[in-house]
């Protein structure tokens, strides 16, 4: 069944009744409907801005997001039982992008400095991409993930950051494809599958540990390693609520704040059945629990009440205008590189998209 309602099975008639979540029905959603308020923009921009703006009038908005997001991360981290010294209890599915690195930084503020946090980074061998045997896993998310690791090491030098390189051979992906496809049902598109495969292998956490550099040396890959954290923080929900996708920029170009607000509302309304049922089943199959701080009810409620123009400003170029509010928070936290990285979907960053054919489209049904 779709993850969008509470379902009741009548054991006498073997019929199923669906009781959907709504904003005004018996099952009331615990957050506001996405605002369609239109607000005046600040001074006109000349289209040449290449840096994030100063906080200025954004400061109270960033304060609000920081408060609800810190609380959301705290609630999802503090409840995890402590383990033996040196054993991680929290992991982050980590591409180095602004969503996941912000969660990693906030989680670091909640845990003792000596406790490891696992940063799980997945890369796929894609036979359609030209590469040498030495760089077949040099995918975009590996590059930004390593950059993000350096930022976190700089900000939290006492933290044992465990960067887990999950490298997946094409044949290994094929061997698990049927199993992953069963997990994602009733989702059944090419895009669903390419996302789910990346999440499944990442949450399995089997790879090699990147060893901290010795003096004067660079990082080295160690022997085989399996992630130990049973709770994983995922950044899902940030793009949908803060206008992180290319379609949000398209909507803004077509109709300004009004169209952008409509697109954000559509994404928020459908995220449960379009994404979360699929993603939760895929992660849980590896005996790990996915936790989504950006989808905490107080985070969702806070962002839903903000006008679209207080979450993103598409007058700024790609890598700045999308998710502008979150980027300003990331910069406040000291994440000066990640705060301006453009959005890249996991299936492109990890190279699971178009592994079989360049002719397929994401919305196509699986064969």
């Amino acid at each position: 069944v779709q993850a969008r309602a509470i379902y009741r099975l009548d054991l006498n008639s073997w019929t199923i009744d669906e009781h959907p979540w709504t904003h005004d029905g018996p099952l009331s959603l615990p957050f506001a409907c996405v605002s369609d308020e239109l607000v005046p923009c600040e001074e006109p921009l000349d289209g040449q801005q290449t840096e994030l703006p100063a906080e200025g009038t954004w400061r109270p908005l960033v304060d609000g997001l920081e408060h609800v997001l810190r609380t959301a991360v705290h609630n999802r981290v503090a409840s995890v039982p402590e383990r033996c010294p040196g054993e991680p209890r929290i992991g982050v599915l980590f591409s180095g992008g602004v969503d996941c690195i912000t969660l990693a930084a906030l989680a670091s503020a909640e845990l003792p400095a000596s406790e490891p946090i696992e940063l799980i980074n997945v890369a796929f061998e894609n036979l359609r991409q030209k590469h040498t045997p030495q760089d077949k896993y040099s995918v975009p998310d590996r590059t930004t993930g390593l950059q993000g690791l350096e930022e976190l090491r700089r900000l939290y030098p006492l933290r044992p950051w465990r960067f887990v390189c999950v490298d997946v051979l094409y044949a290994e992906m094929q061997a698990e494809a049927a199993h992953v496809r069963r997990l994602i049902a009733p989702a059944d598109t090419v895009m669903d599958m390419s996302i789910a495969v990346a999440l499944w292998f990442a949450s399995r956490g089997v790879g090699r540990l990147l060893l901290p550099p010795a003096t004067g040396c660079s990082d080295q890959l160690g022997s085989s390693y399996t992630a130990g954290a049973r709770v994983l923080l995922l950044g899902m929900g940030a793009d949908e609520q803060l206008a992180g996708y290319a379609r949000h920029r398209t909507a803004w170009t077509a109709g300004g704040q009004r169209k952008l607000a409509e697109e954000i509302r559509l994404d928020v309304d459908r995220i449960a059945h379009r994404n979360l049922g699929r993603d939760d089943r895929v992660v849980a199959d590896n005996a790990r629990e996915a936790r989504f701080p950006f989808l905490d009810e107080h985070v969702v409620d806070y962002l839903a009440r903000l006008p679209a123009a207080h979450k993103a400003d598409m007058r700024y170029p790609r890598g700045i205008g999308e998710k502008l509010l979150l980027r300003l928070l990331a910069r406040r936290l000291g994440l000066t590189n990640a705060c301006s990285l453009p959005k890249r979907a996991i299936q492109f960053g990890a190279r699971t998209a178009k592994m079989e054919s360049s002719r397929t489209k994401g919305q196509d049904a699986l064969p």
Side-chain angles (χ1 to χ4, degrees), residues 14-307:
W14 290 101
T15 57
I16 296 178
D17 295 329
E18 179 179 334
H19 302 273
W21 293 92
T22 65
H23 287 284
D24 54 4
L27 287 177
S28 181
L29 290 163
F31 49 84
C33 186
V34 173
S35 171
D36 58 3
E37 180 185 358
L38 306 181
V39 297
C41 292
E42 292 189 352
E43 67 278 359
L45 301 176
D46 61 14
Q48 302 300 314
Q49 289 72 19
T50 58
E51 296 181 354
L52 290 171
E55 281 194 10
T57 56
W58 288 86
R59 182 169 289 111
L61 303 173
V62 180
D63 290 343
L65 177 60
E66 181 176 8
H67 172 71
V68 292
L69 193 56
R70 275 192 186 277
T71 304
V73 171
H74 169 81
N75 291 340
R76 283 155 181 78
V77 169
S79 60
V80 181
E82 292 186 13
R83 305 180 67 190
C84 296
E87 293 187 9
R89 50 179 164 155
I90 298 296
V92 182
L93 294 196
F94 192 75
S95 67
V98 67
D99 310 341
C100 61
I101 199 171
T102 299
L103 296 183
L106 293 176
S108 186
E110 298 294 332
L111 297 172
S114 60
E115 184 173 323
I117 295 178
E118 291 176 328
L119 306 174
I120 304 174
N121 181 278
V122 66
F124 285 76
E125 177 189 32
N126 190 325
L127 299 183
R128 297 189 62 255
Q129 301 286 336
K130 293 182 178 180
H131 54 68
T132 65
Q134 291 76 29
D135 68 358
K136 63 183 175 182
Y137 298 119
S138 296
V139 301
D141 277 3
R142 180 61 50 81
T143 300
T144 54
L146 291 172
Q147 292 170 353
L149 173 63
E150 289 307 309
E151 281 209 286
L152 291 172
R153 283 174 172 171
R154 173 177 56 81
L155 293 171
Y156 306 97
L158 300 181
R159 170 79 56 200
W161 296 103
R162 294 189 181 177
F163 191 89
V164 185
C165 298
V166 177
D167 297 334
V168 185
L169 289 166
Y170 178 76
E172 189 178 8
M173 184 279 297
Q174 284 189 309
E176 300 292 350
H179 174 64
V180 174
R181 182 170 182 175
R182 287 191 294 270
L183 292 173
I184 68 174
D188 65 348
T189 68
V190 170
M191 183 176 66
D192 286 316
M193 188 64 179
S194 58
I195 293 172
V197 164
L199 288 179
W200 190 86
F201 278 100
S203 60
R204 189 177 69 161
V206 176
R208 291 191 294 168
L209 191 64
L210 192 69
L211 301 177
T215 303
C217 300
S218 58
D219 290 317
Q220 297 292 325
L221 280 175
S223 57
S224 60
Y225 178 87
T226 299
R230 310 316 298 178
V231 171
L232 301 178
L233 301 181
L234 281 72
M236 281 69 173
D239 289 306
E240 288 79 2
Q241 297 179 86
L242 288 153
Y245 292 119
R247 62 176 177 269
H248 293 120
R249 184 172 287 276
T250 300
W252 180 85
T253 301
Q257 295 181 43
R258 181 178 59 82
K259 280 291 187 182
L260 178 58
E262 290 175 2
E263 192 70 24
I264 293 173
R265 177 180 293 185
L266 175 64
D267 278 340
V268 172
D269 287 347
R270 68 187 178 185
I271 190 172
H273 66 267
R274 193 183 196 200
N275 300 64
L276 297 182
R278 174 198 69 202
D279 298 346
D280 191 64
R281 288 191 299 273
V282 167
V283 174
D285 187 61
N286 287 307
R288 303 189 198 273
E289 181 180 345
R291 297 188 177 180
F292 306 94
F294 285 106
L295 294 172
D296 176 273
E297 62 188 81
H298 299 294
V299 175
V300 176
D301 186 65
Y302 175 73
L303 293 175
R305 295 176 186 276
L306 294 180

